Amino acid sequence: MKTQSTQATTSLAPLIIQARTMASSGLWRRFLERFKRFVVNLLTTTSAHGIGHVVQQGLHIIERIIWISCISIGVYGMVALSQRIWNRFQTSPTVISMDRNMYFWNTSFPSLTICSHRRIDEDKLAHYIRLRGFDEDDAEQFREFVVLLANVSYSSFLDLPMYKTFGIAGYEYMELLYNLSWSFEPQVNSGTATALSAQPTITELGLCLAVNSRIAVYNSYDYWQARRWERVYEPAPLVVHPLDGEVYGQLIKLESSYEVFFHGSMEVAEISKRQYSFQESYYTTVELLALEILTSRNARELSISQRQCRFTHEGETLMFSPVYSYNLCRIECRMKFAFKVCGCVPHFYRPIGKGNFRYRICDFEGLRCLGQHAGKCYNCNVA
């Protein structure tokens, strides 16, 4: 009896397993049938155009293929168009429009940088020569050396004579020129109630004076010597309106001939831009037509790659300036090219950058090397 019971139990086990398999198979089949009916019902009743024809009963296979092809082409076009719109939003989401309301036409008063042709104070120079104890020949050569060095730029590097160095290294040139500089302080008047400020600044033409500039202080000798990198107080821009009548800026007490660069209040002078020469004791009138582009507040929320421009406070990419401007960027580009071709940079650039980064300052041989590549330096061909 025990043996028969064991055999019956053993033969019953495969039947139970087979029954469970059949039950699971039936459950899975019912699930697939219900899911199929759900999908067909969804595609039939959906508002998406054309999809209902794919599952419609009684259609020929060729008709289904045609509808599937049309839907596929539509989906591809939708994805391609969406990607194009997204890429356009990432690369050029901004537009430039003309403000038609004349009552809001407040334009920033232009700035100018004045570079006098007289850079050296003769009394200071004579005192320095006496301190150095130069003889008559050396004194004359040193006087010519300093005057040429104070007025030198890329266009005149080759005019420098190969004098002896007088024991002055290239990195000491700017300190020497600053200590011997002539105090150039013209009187600035304007036709508005706001006074125009003037402050010393260093340009690629040497020691100059900036009028109505908000960022010229970052290129001043005192700011460089103090190794400062923080933002300083920037006065509010002087704005004028077409209904204000005649608005002017007048410079008087100019005791020598000079060069003038016109630019915006958030820019600096740059040698590749147009400059104007004025003779001593001449009265000259210059009329300017101002065009100003203002950025809306919404553009500040866009990334730099989207708006393809930088605000003044976004100067983290520049190594020698705490603020950003287009001309400051070109100046650093010119520094990189100068170091690439001649292994040094001129003395009128900031000597020490962020993180104590620095380029070697050119001596006379380095300046003459830059003079041979002056054309490429103007265009700033780094590549």
Side-chain angles (χ1 to χ4, degrees):
M1 293 296 294
K2 293 181 179 180
T3 303
Q4 293 178 356
S5 176
T6 302
Q7 291 178 351
T9 303
T10 304
S11 61
L12 184 60
L15 296 177
I16 296 175
I17 295 174
Q18 185 177 4
R20 289 179 178 176
T21 303
M22 294 177 61
S24 300
S25 177
L27 181 62
W28 178 251
R29 189 180 299 108
R30 288 195 300 272
F31 171 77
L32 291 179
E33 290 177 355
R34 292 182 179 180
F35 181 75
K36 180 180 178 181
R37 288 197 300 269
F38 169 76
V39 172
V40 171
N41 181 64
L42 176 65
L43 297 180
T44 304
T45 58
T46 184
S47 60
H49 185 69
I51 296 180
H53 297 287
V54 177
V55 296
Q56 184 178 350
Q57 298 293 333
L59 290 182
H60 194 272
I61 185 63
I62 297 180
E63 293 180 279
R64 298 185 190 277
I65 293 176
I66 292 176
W67 278 110
I68 292 175
S69 301
C70 293
I71 294 173
S72 300
I73 294 174
V75 171
Y76 173 79
M78 178 186 64
V79 173
L81 183 61
S82 300
Q83 185 178 11
R84 182 178 179 181
I85 295 175
W86 175 256
N87 292 336
R88 183 176 181 180
F89 173 73
Q90 293 297 324
T91 56
S92 56
T94 59
V95 295
I96 299 178
S97 60
M98 177 67 71
D99 189 356
R100 299 179 181 273
N101 191 343
M102 63 174 296
Y103 295 103
F104 293 106
W105 288 357
N106 291 321
T107 305
S108 299
F109 195 82
S111 302
L112 64 153
T113 300
I114 310 170
C115 299
S116 172
H117 290 166
R118 179 184 175 186
R119 307 283 176 84
I120 300 299
D121 190 311
E122 291 295 333
D123 294 335
K124 294 180 181 179
L125 179 58
H127 179 69
Y128 182 84
I129 291 175
R130 288 195 299 269
L131 290 178
R132 292 292 302 270
F134 291 141
D135 57 28
E136 185 176 350
D137 292 337
D138 285 345
E140 186 62 29
Q141 288 188 1
F142 182 78
R143 180 176 283 104
E144 185 178 357
F145 159 76
V146 170
V147 172
L148 288 174
L149 187 64
N151 291 274
V152 77
S153 186
Y154 284 94
S155 59
S156 57
F157 281 151
L158 292 178
D159 297 335
L160 288 173
M162 296 301 293
Y163 287 136
K164 56 185 179 182
T165 61
F166 298 99
I168 303 174
Y171 62 86
E172 297 176 321
Y173 286 168
M174 182 50 65
E175 181 181 3
L176 173 67
L177 297 177
Y178 181 79
N179 292 332
L180 300 180
S181 62
W182 174 58
S183 297
F184 178 55
E185 298 179 355
Q187 183 177 343
V188 184
N189 298 326
S190 68
T192 64
T194 304
L196 296 178
S197 60
Q199 54 188 331
T201 187
I202 301 177
T203 70
E204 292 170 309
L205 291 180
L207 295 170
C208 300
L209 196 69
V211 178
N212 193 39
S213 175
R214 302 178 64 193
I215 64 173
V217 62
Y218 301 111
N219 277 353
S220 64
Y221 181 80
D222 293 335
Y223 189 88
W224 289 358
Q225 285 299 105
R227 297 192 179 184
R228 298 173 59 185
W229 293 103
E230 77 278 7
R231 296 284 299 274
V232 300
Y233 170 74
E234 298 170 1
L238 173 62
V239 295
V240 295
H241 193 275
L243 299 181
D244 292 340
E246 183 179 4
V247 181
Y248 63 89
Q250 186 180 36
L251 301 176
I252 57 178
K253 294 185 178 180
L254 297 168
E255 302 177 8
S256 70
S257 57
Y258 54 93
E259 305 281 339
V260 172
F261 294 85
F262 294 98
H263 50 81
S265 61
M266 300 302 291
E267 269 295 357
V268 297
E270 198 254 322
I271 57 173
S272 66
K273 306 301 180 181
R274 185 176 180 180
Q275 61 195 68
Y276 300 84
S277 299
F278 299 96
Q279 299 298 320
E280 183 180 358
S281 302
Y282 274 70
Y283 184 85
T284 307
T285 301
V286 179
E287 295 183 357
L288 301 177
L289 179 63
L291 174 63
E292 187 173 40
I293 300 177
L294 302 178
T295 306
S296 64
R297 294 183 178 180
N298 294 335
R300 293 181 179 270
E301 301 176 0
L302 300 175
S303 64
I304 296 176
S305 60
Q306 285 180 304
R307 47 182 148 90
Q308 298 181 4
C309 63
R310 290 179 178 270
F311 291 102
T312 306
H313 66 276
E314 296 174 333
E316 62 276 0
T317 59
L318 300 183
M319 290 298 299
F320 292 88
S321 175
V323 296
Y324 179 87
S325 79
Y326 177 75
N327 287 349
L328 287 174
C329 183
R330 285 187 58 84
I331 288 174
E332 287 207 8
C333 173
R334 196 170 288 114
M335 293 176 67
K336 293 179 181 179
F337 180 80
F339 185 78
K340 177 181 178 181
V341 297
C342 295
C344 61
V345 299
H347 56 278
F348 43 67
Y349 291 136
R350 183 165 185 166
I352 302 176
K354 298 175 182 177
N356 206 32
F357 178 81
R358 65 184 70 195
Y359 290 121
R360 187 176 72 87
I361 304 299
C362 293
D363 52 14
F364 260 28
E365 293 183 358
L367 294 179
R368 291 183 65 85
C369 172
L370 292 177
Q372 297 172 357
H373 300 86
K376 294 181 179 179
C377 288
Y378 268 90
N379 298 326
C380 191
N381 296 325
V382 178

